Amino acid sequence: MSHEQSPGAALMPALPRRRLGRTGLNVSILGFGTAPLGDLFARLDDAAAIAAAERAFGLGVNLLDTSPLYGHGLAEHRCGTALRRVARDGIVVCTKVGRWMDPFHDRGGASNFVGGQPHRAVIDYSYDGTMRSVEQSLLRLGTDRLDLLLIHDVDVWTHGLDAIEDRFREAMAGAYVALDKLRSERVVRGIGVGVNEAEMCVRFARAGQFDTMLLAGRYSLLEQPALAEFLPLAQAQGIGVMLGGVFNSGILATGAVAGAKYNYRDAPPEIMQKVARIERVCRAHGVALPTAALHFALGHPTVASLVLGAQTPQEVERNVEALSTPVPSALWRDLKAEHLLDADAPVPA
């Protein structure tokens, strides 16, 4: 499949790899996130979506993160096509459980996935529901094994305060038992959770034996709530951390511009002001805001990889290029001096 390559893309240095907790797997510091491949907010051309995944593999990205939720199965289908074009052993495939797709009922309700498959997502953290979800994922991805399986979205953001205790109990009594069994049978190398809240990561880490966790949005250049409890606990337990949402759903990529998004909504004034101040410090050091955001997130020793979504091969190339761009240590000193970064936050060497 051919597509245009940006100048210099072929000259990019190889992406470094880091050990992912106790899994024994080495993953690239940049992972390929596939929510956009599920037609998140916009319908994608099939060929372009698959080309984005292929470009990521070609540039040394070996971590593929997906979920049945993304496009109600569409992202996994597209990932499966890309996977068939490379050596399966060279890619660490991560998908999630907590929802299975019902092909006999339509989507129902509104969804951020504007395209995708016409199948209903059934929330189900039971043992049987988890096994059904895994079987469906194996079929969509066209593989006989998975490398990482995460319990998806057991957080207040998704289910609300009233339901979270029931969901957590269901996940530990059902999904965790199923994933632990699959791990013991070597169907999967590592198990974990993928959530939007550091507090839920702490609860799961204390309740079971997890190898890895994917936390979205709670450890970034803008805010570091995961620093207080979760990241030290992960380090102590040997849990490998993957970070999603390192741009806080947009504002650290775009800057404090009109309509900038924070946590999937328009950024409030106090967030706009803080980002504008961070931008000024970055500009003084000649560093683009998104470049600083990526480098900072990798500064914590427990963080193995940043999972970034991309819709096109060119977006993948930009992300790889940003990670190849050096950032002066004085930038981090100045951000801390202006109280824009947690004083205890580890920074890149």
Side-chain angles (χ1 to χ4, degrees):
M1 185 176 296
S2 66
H3 52 267
E4 288 186 25
Q5 182 173 306
S6 62
L11 305 175
M12 290 178 195
L15 278 171
R17 294 187 178 180
R18 294 181 179 180
R19 182 60 60 102
L20 183 67
R22 296 184 297 254
T23 64
L25 297 166
N26 291 312
V27 295
S28 50
I29 59 170
L30 180 65
F32 184 70
T34 62
L37 269 58
D39 289 349
L40 181 64
F41 302 125
R43 291 177 186 270
L44 298 190
D45 170 73
D46 240 18
I50 294 161
E54 285 190 283
R55 187 67 183 128
F57 298 155
L59 287 172
V61 174
N62 79 327
L63 173 61
L64 177 73
D65 176 70
T66 190
S67 168
L69 175 64
Y70 303 158
H72 294 232
L74 179 61
E76 286 188 329
H77 273 294
R78 285 170 164 167
C79 289
T81 301
L83 279 172
R84 283 192 291 279
R85 297 172 180 176
V86 294
R88 170 66 183 87
D89 288 347
I91 307 297
V92 175
V93 177
C94 173
T95 193
K96 307 183 182 83
V97 301
R99 298 174 180 88
W100 51 270
M101 296 302 135
D102 179 358
F104 299 108
H105 291 90
D106 63 25
R107 296 270 291 267
S111 170
N112 289 330
F113 296 100
V114 296
Q117 309 287 59
H119 302 155
R120 180 167 299 182
V122 179
I123 294 173
D124 187 348
Y125 295 102
S126 70
Y127 182 95
D128 289 345
T130 297
M131 290 302 197
R132 177 182 290 191
S133 174
V134 172
E135 184 177 348
Q136 289 184 347
S137 289
L138 288 167
L139 289 167
R140 283 190 293 260
L141 288 162
T143 184
D144 58 351
R145 70 191 189 286
L146 299 161
D147 299 295
L148 303 171
L149 272 173
L150 309 181
I151 303 171
H152 200 190
D153 284 347
V154 181
D155 48 36
V156 177
W157 171 267
T158 305
H159 301 292
L161 267 173
D162 292 344
I164 191 59
E165 295 305 323
D166 287 343
R167 290 300 189 194
F168 180 75
R169 279 194 295 271
E170 184 187 5
M172 284 306 302
Y176 174 72
V177 175
L179 296 193
D180 190 39
K181 180 175 189 288
L182 292 171
R183 177 173 56 184
S184 71
E185 293 171 351
R186 306 297 288 170
V187 175
V188 64
R189 293 282 295 275
I191 66 172
V193 299
V195 294
N196 297 287
E197 292 146 12
E199 298 80 7
M200 293 309 301
C201 288
V202 170
R203 288 192 65 179
F204 276 107
R206 291 193 167 136
Q209 291 291 312
F210 291 98
D211 307 297
T212 185
M213 294 192 178
L214 171 56
L215 176 63
R218 304 286 71 86
Y219 191 74
S220 72
L221 189 63
L222 177 58
E223 55 189 27
Q224 300 89 47
L227 195 58
E229 194 173 5
F230 169 55
L231 289 174
L233 179 63
Q235 201 163 4
Q237 291 193 2
I239 294 171
V241 176
M242 301 177 282
L243 292 178
V246 292
F247 296 139
N248 288 108
S249 69
I251 194 164
L252 288 179
T254 63
V257 297
K261 293 287 185 277
Y262 168 74
N263 284 357
Y264 307 102
R265 300 188 177 97
D266 288 342
E270 66 275 14
I271 294 293
M272 293 284 274
Q273 288 160 13
K274 184 175 182 182
V275 171
R277 291 178 63 202
I278 294 171
E279 274 187 285
R280 278 197 293 275
V281 176
C282 290
R283 205 174 298 122
H285 290 278
V287 176
L289 177 65
T291 298
L294 293 180
H295 282 264
F296 169 75
L298 281 167
H300 198 285
T302 309
V303 174
S305 187
L306 309 180
V307 176
L308 289 188
Q311 295 184 346
T312 65
Q314 290 75 22
E315 282 184 28
V316 176
E317 289 167 4
R318 277 202 300 274
N319 293 335
V320 172
E321 208 162 0
L323 282 174
S324 310
T325 305
V327 174
S329 56
L331 170 62
W332 315 121
R333 283 201 303 273
D334 287 354
L335 286 172
K336 288 188 176 186
E338 294 198 26
H339 305 291
L340 293 167
L341 258 189
D342 190 306
D344 297 325
V347 295

